[in-house]
Amino acid sequence: MKHLFSLFVAFSLLCGNAIAQQTQEKYTNEIKYLLYLPENYNKDDQQKFPVVLFLHGSGERGDDVNKVAVNGLPKLIAGGKKFPFIVVSPQVPEGERWESTDLFRLMKDIKKKYRVDEDRLYLTGLSMGGYGSWDMAMKYPQMFAAIIPICGGGDVSKVWTIRHTPVWVFHGGKDNIVPLKQSQDMVDALKSINPDVKFTIFPEDGHDSWTSAYNTDSLYTWMLGIKKFKYSKVPVDQQILDTYQGSYYNDFTNDTLKITVAPGIVNMIRKRGLLK
């Protein structure tokens, strides 16, 4: 009996030690990126600068960040092109795709480290980066002043989130890698709620429509003239508010939104997936 009791105590102690033996560890998600600062960045430590986040295509993935300079804005910069804005060009590891949450954290870090004009953050990308641009813009619609997706595509059911974001889309008419329809569908879905969306097709370009796009000088004039959309308070007549009372159903998400109105107050209650 004593032996059994001793074994039980020893086993209990061992289990207790096993449970207690935990160590604090940390996983760090490293993102490599190329950084370009305008020539006059260090002349005035009070001046803030626009930022362009550039997303490369699938061919530039890997662990050598210099591969990012093969195409697009980093290529122009490597060739001596000067821009009046900061350019951030991250790299995706081999076999992976753009993750908007990772890019969001990167942009938070950029804003901490550099003098950034937060009203003029812009997003662009080519091919895989074009898809990444659509995705990130729709997930964080209040982050960017304007977006420039090139030969990409996305989820047309979510374009309503960027109804206030100026968009200029580029695609090659002879693209046999990403069909022109991918961009066309996004533009068509956006037009009814964002009529100012711009769409440029280069009839003779194949998949590489980014060379023509980034050599379009008017693109930068257009982009830099845009500041981030901000909602503003507007007085609304009570009779107009009353017309919005009722229940609204979203076909894409199966959500129901119920709106009730009292003097000076609008209450909205969202119920998820009622009809699923």
Side-chain angles (χ1 to χ4, degrees):
M1 193 71 177
K2 287 183 180 180
H3 289 296
L4 286 174
F5 179 76
S6 299
L7 284 170
F8 175 77
V9 171
F11 180 76
S12 298
L13 289 172
L14 284 171
C15 289
N17 288 337
I19 293 171
Q21 289 174 358
Q22 300 183 73
T23 60
Q24 292 187 11
E25 306 294 341
K26 183 178 180 181
Y27 168 71
T28 302
N29 186 15
E30 181 184 74
I31 299 179
K32 295 180 180 179
Y33 61 93
L34 295 178
L35 177 73
Y36 169 80
L37 298 176
E39 279 188 321
N40 60 334
Y41 182 84
N42 294 315
K43 290 183 179 179
D44 180 358
D45 60 9
Q46 299 302 309
Q47 184 180 356
K48 294 185 177 182
F49 290 82
V51 175
V52 175
L53 176 62
F54 168 80
L55 307 183
H56 64 71
S58 60
E60 290 77 69
R61 292 178 290 186
D63 56 8
D64 178 6
V65 74
N66 291 310
K67 286 176 65 178
V68 177
V70 169
N71 290 310
L73 294 180
K75 179 179 180 179
L76 291 176
I77 293 167
K81 181 78 172 177
K82 301 183 188 306
F83 291 113
F85 46 80
I86 298 169
V87 181
V88 178
S89 306
Q91 184 182 40
V92 173
E94 192 66 48
E96 297 185 18
R97 302 186 73 81
W98 291 110
E99 290 291 343
S100 295
T101 50
D102 292 339
L103 293 170
F104 179 80
R105 295 188 187 101
L106 171 62
M107 291 305 290
K108 282 182 67 176
D109 189 61
I110 293 294
K111 287 186 281 187
K112 288 178 183 177
K113 290 179 177 177
Y114 305 98
R115 298 194 308 277
V116 171
D117 181 350
E118 294 197 35
D119 286 335
R120 294 200 290 170
L121 301 181
Y122 308 103
L123 173 63
T124 186
L126 58 90
S127 193
M128 184 181 79
Y131 285 91
S133 296
W134 283 113
D135 183 71
M136 188 175 188
M138 293 187 292
K139 284 181 178 172
Y140 301 101
Q142 296 182 339
M143 173 176 282
F144 298 101
I147 67 168
I148 303 102
I150 302 173
C151 58
D155 186 345
V156 295
S157 71
K158 296 177 181 177
V159 294
W160 66 272
T161 62
I162 53 173
R163 60 196 179 279
H164 298 305
T165 305
V167 180
W168 192 344
V169 182
F170 293 88
H171 213 114
K174 296 181 179 179
D175 193 332
N176 61 355
I177 304 296
V178 177
L180 176 61
K181 189 176 185 298
Q182 293 288 302
S183 286
Q184 186 70 64
D185 287 348
M186 296 299 283
V187 171
D188 290 345
L190 195 55
K191 266 186 177 178
S192 62
I193 52 175
N194 188 345
D196 293 329
V197 60
K198 295 164 67 71
F199 188 24
T200 297
I201 301 172
F202 299 109
E204 298 304 315
D205 281 2
H207 189 48
D208 177 8
S209 54
W210 52 81
T211 297
S212 298
Y214 291 127
N215 280 303
T216 302
D217 290 338
S218 59
L219 167 63
Y220 305 106
T221 304
W222 171 84
M223 181 185 77
L224 293 172
I226 299 170
K227 290 190 176 182
K228 183 167 61 177
F229 172 83
K230 294 180 180 179
Y231 289 96
S232 57
K233 293 182 180 180
V234 177
V236 180
D237 185 271
Q238 186 66 39
Q239 290 183 334
I240 295 176
L241 286 178
D242 290 341
T243 64
Y244 289 97
Q245 288 198 104
S247 296
Y248 300 84
Y249 175 64
N250 186 329
D251 287 329
F252 291 119
T253 62
N254 287 340
D255 292 350
T256 298
L257 182 68
K258 185 176 181 180
I259 299 178
T260 57
V261 179
I265 300 173
V266 177
N267 291 311
M268 292 182 284
I269 300 175
R270 180 183 179 187
K271 294 184 179 180
R272 296 178 180 274
L274 282 183
L275 301 183
K276 281 187 176 179

